[in-house]
Amino acid sequence: MNPLDDYFNDIISSVNKVIEDYIKGDIKELYEASYYLFKAGGKRLRPLILVSSSDLVGGERERAYLAGAAVEVLHTFTLIHDDIMDQDTLRRGMPTVHVKFGIPMAILAGDLLHAKAFQILNDSVKGLPSEKITKAFQIFTESIIIISEGQTLDMQFEGRNDVSEDEYMDMISKKTAKLFSASAALGGLIGGGDYKEVESLGKYGLYLGIAFQIIDDILGLTSTEEELGKPIYSDIREGKKTILVIKALKEAKEDERKIILMTLGNRKATREELSRAADIIRSYSLNYAYDLADRYYAMAIEALRSVRWRNEIAGKALNYLAEFTIKRRK
């Protein structure tokens, strides 16, 4: 058993309780749709990062639980809308919100969670100095803007076969890593860290989020549907330009490149065709993608070391969360 289990379980149960308390209302279907994905589980990585970052600099737990719930509610809002845009039918092994409740209700559920995230964040910063409250909302609002930009780039890339590695890195920094960064920075800010510590924690979250997305892209080509909680090879079917696809398109032989391009974005592709394309992509890109994720993991750990630890277990927790991200390959 991981010695940090009790530490993590306490955070997760407390954040889950906050979410349950806030996502309630009289219009039954709306709140059922809004709360649906929370019941399906999830790793709660962003709240774990936020609360651990707050603990690291000596923050108050109750305030951190609220802020952690705010980022998880915001994250879930993005998942609901992402699934609609990507036409995904499974999330965490369950029918997606729009499949279960219909697209109009799913959009409304996402809108509700977006507003609830701000409500919870507002409650988390009550009593702090005004400049910290302003900074907290700046971090939170900026993350939504940048996530929206990243999602747009991801969609635009689906129609292109010339996406560069630099463009991919910029996209995942915005779409995925920004909320990791905001979570760590918010934890440091409301926990009482100084400017440099908040900045370093933001870098830790950013690098960790980049590593997380690279590993996520790898798992999309190496895991089973049961492990993923969504259809296997969905990234290929949707035409996603992951680091693996970009590398393979650059390195593959012409006939292999044609097989990849015939399958990318082809929603009518058979399982056999998808599997064949995945085999080619893996052969050219898997080790490269792992090495890239490892580099960003190391950068995250280096950023974390620059913060003065007031709480040893919190530092160990943040180290472990970075390690866990990389070890999801197993």
Side-chain angles (χ1 to χ4, degrees):
M1 178 179 288
N2 178 7
L4 292 166
D5 281 347
D6 288 343
Y7 180 82
F8 289 141
N9 288 337
D10 182 44
I11 294 173
I12 291 169
S13 61
S14 298
V15 168
N16 284 346
K17 181 65 167 60
V18 173
I19 294 170
E20 184 180 359
D21 288 344
Y22 275 84
I23 314 300
K24 286 180 178 178
D26 295 332
I27 304 176
K28 185 178 178 182
E29 187 178 5
L30 173 62
Y31 284 90
E32 280 185 357
S34 301
Y35 192 66
Y36 174 74
L37 280 184
F38 296 111
K39 295 190 297 183
K43 294 176 282 293
R44 303 291 189 263
L45 269 177
R46 294 153 194 83
L48 288 172
I49 290 169
L50 192 150
V51 178
S52 299
S53 296
S54 176
D55 282 353
L56 188 70
V57 296
E60 301 170 25
R61 266 296 178 91
E62 294 307 315
R63 195 183 290 284
Y65 290 149
L66 284 163
V71 297
E72 187 67 14
V73 168
L74 180 66
H75 171 57
T76 305
F77 144 69
T78 67
L79 296 183
I80 293 173
H81 283 194
D82 278 2
D83 286 340
I84 295 169
M85 287 183 275
D86 291 341
Q87 301 177 47
D88 282 339
T89 58
L90 288 176
R91 168 75 66 177
R92 295 171 181 168
M94 296 170 56
T96 48
V97 176
H98 68 275
V99 170
K100 176 79 171 176
F101 297 93
I103 291 177
M105 187 57 68
I107 292 171
L108 284 170
D111 292 345
L112 177 73
L113 293 180
H114 186 270
K116 284 287 184 179
F118 278 94
Q119 180 187 25
I120 302 169
L121 179 68
N122 185 63
D123 289 346
S124 78
V125 297
K126 284 179 179 176
L128 289 176
S130 60
E131 63 272 15
K132 283 199 172 185
I133 294 174
T134 300
K135 183 63 176 177
F137 275 93
Q138 179 188 341
I139 291 170
F140 201 70
T141 305
E142 184 182 76
S143 72
I144 299 170
I145 294 168
I146 291 178
I147 290 166
S148 299
E149 291 175 354
Q151 175 66 13
T152 301
L153 291 173
D154 192 27
M155 291 169 57
Q156 290 176 343
F157 290 173
E158 290 174 16
R160 290 176 50 196
N161 295 325
D162 61 346
V163 178
S164 69
E165 183 173 327
D166 286 345
E167 287 178 303
Y168 164 84
M169 296 304 299
D170 179 54
M171 182 271 289
I172 66 169
S173 295
K174 291 177 174 177
K175 180 183 175 182
T176 303
K178 183 59 181 178
L179 193 53
F180 280 79
S181 178
S183 298
L186 276 171
L189 178 71
I190 69 171
D194 62 32
Y195 171 79
K196 286 187 176 180
E197 289 174 323
V198 172
E199 185 178 45
S200 292
L201 285 166
K203 288 179 180 178
Y204 160 84
L206 180 70
Y207 300 143
L208 175 57
I210 291 171
F212 178 92
Q213 185 58 60
I214 293 169
I215 295 295
D216 231 37
D217 291 346
I218 292 170
L219 292 175
L221 287 181
T222 59
S223 292
T224 64
E225 189 167 300
E226 291 72 28
E227 290 168 334
L228 285 174
K230 62 181 182 180
I232 193 170
Y233 305 142
S234 60
D235 283 351
I236 299 176
R237 187 182 287 110
E238 292 162 14
K240 298 291 185 185
K241 300 308 185 296
T242 67
I243 188 62
L244 296 102
V245 168
I246 292 167
K247 184 67 173 174
L249 286 175
K250 183 179 178 182
E251 302 292 339
K253 299 171 185 174
E254 189 56 34
D255 58 331
E256 294 171 322
R257 197 170 184 274
K258 285 180 181 178
I259 291 170
I260 296 171
L261 291 174
M262 285 174 58
T263 313
L264 270 178
N266 180 3
R267 292 185 176 273
K268 295 181 180 179
T270 65
R271 176 65 69 92
E272 183 181 353
E273 289 169 333
L274 290 166
S275 180
R276 187 181 180 194
D279 285 343
I280 296 170
I281 294 167
R282 281 194 297 265
S283 69
Y284 284 101
S285 64
L286 201 55
N287 290 335
Y288 182 80
Y290 278 136
D291 288 345
L292 189 60
D294 284 336
R295 290 210 300 273
Y296 279 94
Y297 159 76
M299 291 165 67
I301 296 301
E302 184 178 350
L304 184 60
R305 289 197 185 108
S306 68
V307 180
R308 181 169 68 85
W309 295 12
R310 283 73 143 183
N311 183 316
E312 191 71 18
I313 192 170
K316 290 180 179 178
L318 290 167
N319 264 316
Y320 176 81
L321 290 172
E323 185 181 341
F324 165 79
T325 292
I326 290 297
K327 287 189 174 178
R328 288 187 306 144
R329 68 185 68 179
K330 304 300 182 184

